[in-house]
């Protein structure tokens, strides 16, 4: 579950576990590979990451991408699930709760990272 | 019901074949739909049902529209075809010929005025031209990295699309 300021009946109500409500991110599993962003047919995912150097990984260290921004525009998302299918690390998944209504357009694009 | 036969109909026989099927029991119009072919022609598909004998058939006719071809309306055979033909003319810019010079209406008694046929492949989707594709981002690459200069083709945007407005 993402932390959202508002809640609705669909957020708190009793819904089937496997119901496809909205798409959520496990930020720890995301490698910032951009596959979901490029496959999304409605361009609703925004992703950015920084390159960081981990000196403890291997003898000379190793650089990896650290996720800084991951946004799904739930106002555009049509719940097709293609991003979930293509994600190579299973960082995206279905949540059984739908995204609640918002008072303004900006509210549909919460930061998920 | 459930084998689906498909019949390709010559444009000149379109209404007659539909009427013949109606008299044979296919008297329920399920839907009429349009598909644009790569060749630029348009195929009309009509799905007819025979509820009594549990049969169904798909009639298909193909028209080229560059030469201003007009498509005969099925509305004299199936009154419900009017609605589907109205959709086809609005969204694909097809020109239907109705009996007795009547016109397709989009509500009220005003004749239908063609707007831009939004389901044609040459109709540019403005948000896809006005906004930058989020997939162009290359996370972790410096702004002057050569891979950033490589232009990625935006998937789904034909090269022929021009912005509809400036």
């Amino acid at each position: 579950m993402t932390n959202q300021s508002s809640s609705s009946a669909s957020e708190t109500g009793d819904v089937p576990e496997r119901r496809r409500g909205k798409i959520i991110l496990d930020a720890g599993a995301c490698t910032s590979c951009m596959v979901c962003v490029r496959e999304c047919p409605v361009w609703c995912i925004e992703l950015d990451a920084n390159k960081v150097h981990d000196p403890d990984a291997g003898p000379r260290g190793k650089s990896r991408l650290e996720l800084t921004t991951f946004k799904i525009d739930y106002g555009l998302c049509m719940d097709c699930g293609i991003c979930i299918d293509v994600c190579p690390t299973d960082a995206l998944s279905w949540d059984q709760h739908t995204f609640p209504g918002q008072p303004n357009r900006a509210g549909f694009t919460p930061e998920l990272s | 019901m459930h084998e689906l036969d498909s019949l390709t109909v010559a444009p000149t026989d379109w209404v007659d074949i539909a009427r013949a099927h109606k008299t044979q029991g296919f008297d329920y119009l399920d839907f009429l739909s349009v598909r644009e072919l790569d060749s630029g022609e348009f195929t009309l598909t009509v799905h007819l049902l025979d509820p009594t004998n549990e049969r169904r058939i798909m009639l298909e006719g193909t028209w080229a529209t560059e030469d201003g071809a007009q498509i005969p309306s099925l509305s004299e055979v199936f009154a419900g075809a009017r609605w589907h033909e109205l959709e086809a003319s609005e969204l694909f810019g097809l020109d239907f010929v109705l009996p007795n010079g009547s016109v397709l209406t989009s509500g009220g008694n005003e004749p239908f005025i063609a707007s831009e046929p939004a389901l044609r492949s040459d109709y540019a989707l403005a948000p896809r031209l006005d906004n930058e594709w989020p997939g162009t981002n290359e996370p972790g690459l410096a702004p002057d990295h050569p891979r950033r200069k490589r232009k990625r083709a935006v998937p789904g945007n034909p090269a022929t699309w021009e912005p509809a407005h400036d």
Side-chain angles (χ1 to χ4, degrees):
Chain A
M1 279 292 290
T2 54
N3 50 337
Q4 280 148 24
S5 52
S6 61
S7 68
S8 66
S10 70
E11 282 294 294
T12 55
D14 191 16
V15 291
E17 204 176 307
R18 296 185 64 218
R19 176 175 179 240
R20 296 180 166 192
K22 67 169 176 294
I23 291 161
I24 53 168
L25 174 77
D26 174 1
C30 177
T31 59
S32 312
C33 69
M34 294 289 285
V35 170
C36 56
V37 178
R38 289 175 183 147
E39 292 294 322
C40 175
V42 294
W43 302 10
C44 76
I45 306 176
E46 185 190 330
L47 188 156
D48 209 357
N50 285 334
K51 201 176 217 173
V52 292
H53 189 74
D54 183 359
D56 300 328
R60 279 173 296 175
K62 206 174 174 184
S63 58
R64 61 184 172 82
L65 290 174
E66 193 177 65
L67 193 63
T68 55
T69 305
F70 193 100
K71 291 176 177 174
I72 295 178
D73 188 338
Y74 290 107
L76 286 180
C77 176
M78 55 179 188
D79 295 323
C80 67
I82 289 174
C83 54
I84 296 174
D85 289 347
V86 298
C87 179
T89 59
D90 289 345
L92 291 163
S93 59
W94 285 109
D95 184 272
Q96 71 264 48
H97 300 292
T98 53
F99 192 79
Q102 299 293 317
N104 55 50
R105 186 71 186 85
F108 284 98
T109 315
E111 180 62 66
L112 304 181
S113 60
Chain B
M1 201 149 316
H2 302 116
E3 225 155 284
L4 179 59
D5 290 324
S6 185
L7 183 66
T8 304
V9 181
T12 45
D13 298 337
W14 185 240
V15 178
D16 293 337
I17 295 283
R19 187 180 283 113
H21 278 85
K22 190 181 183 183
T23 54
Q24 288 166 27
F26 293 95
D27 55 0
Y28 184 93
L29 174 87
D30 185 25
F31 65 81
L32 183 152
S33 179
V34 187
R35 139 173 131 250
E36 180 179 347
L37 307 180
D38 289 339
S39 60
E41 296 171 315
F42 292 86
T43 294
L44 254 66
T45 303
V46 174
H47 189 219
L48 301 177
L49 302 178
D50 176 357
T52 317
N53 300 309
E54 300 203 341
R55 293 183 299 164
R56 58 184 188 150
I57 193 162
M58 200 86 99
L59 306 182
E60 292 195 329
T62 299
W63 281 265
T65 57
E66 297 95 43
D67 50 359
Q70 293 186 311
I71 302 173
S73 170
L74 291 184
S75 58
E76 55 182 309
V77 186
F78 297 100
R82 262 181 107 104
W83 172 253
H84 301 279
E85 287 171 354
L86 174 66
E87 283 188 319
S89 72
E90 276 188 31
L91 297 170
F92 287 93
L94 303 182
D95 198 2
F96 287 92
V97 186
L98 282 94
N100 310 324
S102 66
V103 290
L104 293 171
T105 61
S106 185
N109 296 316
E110 292 298 308
F112 170 69
I113 297 162
S115 57
E116 290 192 73
L119 286 186
R120 278 203 189 197
S121 61
D122 58 2
Y123 179 83
L125 300 171
R128 286 198 164 234
L129 295 167
D130 295 346
N131 298 321
E132 195 193 1
W133 180 46
T136 52
N137 188 21
E138 299 280 359
L141 286 191
D144 56 347
H145 194 281
R147 249 172 66 201
R148 281 215 183 259
K149 299 203 178 82
R150 197 181 65 191
K151 193 96 173 151
R152 276 178 178 274
V154 180
N157 280 19
T160 51
W161 278 7
E162 299 283 344
H165 53 88
D166 293 320

